Amino acid sequence: MNDLSTLITRLPNDVGGQPAGPLDRSEHELLPWEKRCHALADVLDFRKIINTEEKRRGVEALGSEQIGKLGYYERWIVAFANILFQKGLLTPAELAVRMQAVEERQRSSE
Amino acid sequence: MARDAERDGIFEVMETAVRELLTDKGLIAATDIRRQIEVLDSRSPALGAAVVARAWTDPAFKQRLLENGRMACEELGITFYDDTQLIVLENTNEVHNLVVCTLCSCYPRPVLGLPPDWYKLKPYRARAVYEPRQLLAEFGTVIPDDVEIRVSDSTAMVRFLILPQRPAGIDDLTTDQLAALVTRDAMIGVVRDLVPSGAVM
Amino acid sequence: MQTLSKVVHADREDPVFEPGDRVQIDDRQPIGHYRVPTYMRGKPATVIAAIRPTMVDNEAESFGRNAGSRRHYYRVFVPMTELWSDYRGTDNDGLYIEIFETWLKRAEP
């Protein structure tokens, strides 16, 4: 199989059997936003807005570069945004405007 | 990965904005996230350990647990807030079980809480299905050659909990004392032998 | 209690495969999303159990379709030595995984 075929038919997360280095057994406590993000995933699932399989596919759809550079919950929140856009529940403009407002609010409370 | 306040900034802002917009649009309730955080905070390996200790001391419960893991956990008040099922895999003198999710990070969260970072990262996920014995050695776990390793790759709707073997020589402990011996890593399968004397593993 | 004998089961209510059946995992290579890892494609496997009840196809579910595709998942077993020609372990070591019915067919005898 050539490189392009592999690129489109092997998902970046499909790592079973691939060469990999030693384990890093360090563990980190979830940051508050990460825990909220995990809770959001569960709520989106049982509210039937974004189910868990949709989330998984959404993370895969970020593509190798984003998957490689973003952390675990960073991938989730970006995937949620993309899926909400696709479902017409949110628009990129709405999210962008609200993100600016959130940043402004945080800045002015510092 | 190093924590970087600036890097976290945009993702935290995004999470806040998404949550607020979904609430404003009435798609989620204002209390949903807070409530689910309480649910998550209440789930930890202590729940799985209680299930294991009960299985060790109540043969009829153990039978029900091996037949339908989710229903048996629900008997103890461990509700499953998603649609996953639970299969409990029993370690024996001849068989050692190990769990992985090669494609993502499927883990029995309702009964064990959130998974450790290493479970979600490539080295564990890539190597558990390919060289489990060498991987377990990095946890200090050596599986003898006359013990068969069964690696379960949980990619669908079933989650797994390993039922470790009860350590020998501890016949007069209470269920709570037994539960205190059961570690998260033993319920994932990266540890096989539980220490009977309460040493930390 | 005896099973009542005149009850006709709808199509797909009963598992197609039973414990001990030899099956073949398909070797198709989907573009985009899938839940059967590449290392399992095309492998012969032994059915351990049908998971009950029928459940939605997780690959369809990932595109928002969470109804109308309920079939069985099967827990299947493949020896490690069948998966990896250079496996460093014992011949008895095995891989267990749940596979949706639409990825399996009965193995040629």
Side-chain angles (χ1 to χ4, degrees), chain C residues 5-95:
Chain C
S5 60
K6 295 206 166 57
V7 179
V8 177
H9 293 179
D11 189 34
R12 300 176 188 181
E13 282 197 301
D14 297 320
V16 170
F17 304 111
E18 290 175 355
D21 281 357
R22 292 284 292 165
V23 292
Q24 189 83 19
I25 298 171
D26 199 3
D27 62 356
R28 64 182 183 262
Q29 290 164 13
I31 292 164
H33 186 66
Y34 55 76
R35 292 302 287 179
V36 175
T38 298
Y39 74 86
M40 291 299 296
R41 304 283 174 77
K43 297 298 178 185
T46 305
V47 174
I48 300 297
I51 308 293
R52 291 167 204 270
T54 56
M55 287 187 272
V56 170
D57 180 344
N58 51 6
E59 292 174 343
E61 203 176 5
S62 68
F63 290 96
R65 290 194 293 281
N66 52 15
S69 62
R70 298 172 75 96
R71 289 181 185 250
H72 291 89
Y73 287 86
Y74 298 88
R75 182 165 169 79
V76 305
F77 152 74
V78 183
M80 287 294 196
T81 50
E82 179 83 49
L83 293 173
W84 320 107
S85 57
D86 57 350
Y87 180 65
R88 293 183 296 146
T90 73
D91 288 349
N92 290 330
D93 293 348
L95 191 291

Side-chain angles (χ1 to χ4, degrees), chain A residues 81-101:
Chain A
N82 288 335
I83 297 168
L84 291 168
F85 300 152
Q86 286 160 8
K87 291 188 180 226
L89 296 174
L90 209 58
T91 67
E94 277 179 308
L95 182 58
V97 166
R98 181 61 65 108
M99 284 175 68
Q100 280 181 318

Side-chain angles (χ1 to χ4, degrees), chain A residues 35 38-39 42, chain B residues 36-43 81 114:
Chain A
K35 187 171 283 190
H38 194 111
D42 289 340
Chain B
Q36 188 59 16
I37 289 177
E38 285 176 35
V39 173
L40 293 173
D41 284 344
S42 77
R43 308 306 173 110
Y81 48 82
L114 298 183

Side-chain angles (χ1 to χ4, degrees), chain B residues 19-153:
Chain B
R19 174 169 33 88
E20 288 182 0
L21 286 165
L22 292 175
T23 308
D24 290 350
K25 291 167 184 285
L27 290 167
I28 68 177
T31 51
D32 279 354
I33 302 297
R34 202 155 47 236
R35 176 57 180 270
Q36 188 59 16
I37 289 177
E38 285 176 35
V39 173
L40 293 173
D41 284 344
S42 77
R43 308 306 173 110
S44 77
L47 300 183
V51 173
V52 168
R54 177 74 187 272
W56 285 346
T57 53
D58 181 342
F61 176 81
K62 177 179 167 180
Q63 189 57 33
R64 295 195 298 278
L65 183 69
L66 296 178
E67 277 168 16
N68 188 321
R70 175 171 172 155
M71 273 179 51
C73 287
E74 287 168 345
E75 283 183 41
L76 302 184
I78 302 169
T79 57
F80 276 53
Y81 48 82
D82 58 22
D83 292 334
T84 58
Q85 294 196 13
L86 186 73
I87 292 181
V88 176
L89 299 170
E90 183 184 15
N91 281 353
T92 67
N93 289 338
E94 295 81 31
V95 173
H96 181 79
N97 289 282
L98 178 65
V99 181
V100 64
C101 176
T102 60
L103 295 181
C104 48
S105 58
C106 303
Y107 187 79
R109 291 177 176 83
V111 69
L112 283 188
L114 298 183
D117 290 322
W118 51 260
Y119 184 89
K120 307 192 288 193
L121 294 171
K122 181 169 176 175
Y124 184 78
R125 289 164 42 216
R127 297 174 57 201
V129 296
Y130 170 61
E131 48 175 20
R133 292 173 182 271
Q134 292 73 16
L135 184 70
L136 291 183
E138 291 188 25
F139 286 91
T141 301
V142 177
I143 308 295
D145 283 351
D146 61 349
V147 175
E148 155 191 342
I149 287 196
R150 297 182 180 174
V151 181
S152 291
D153 189 357

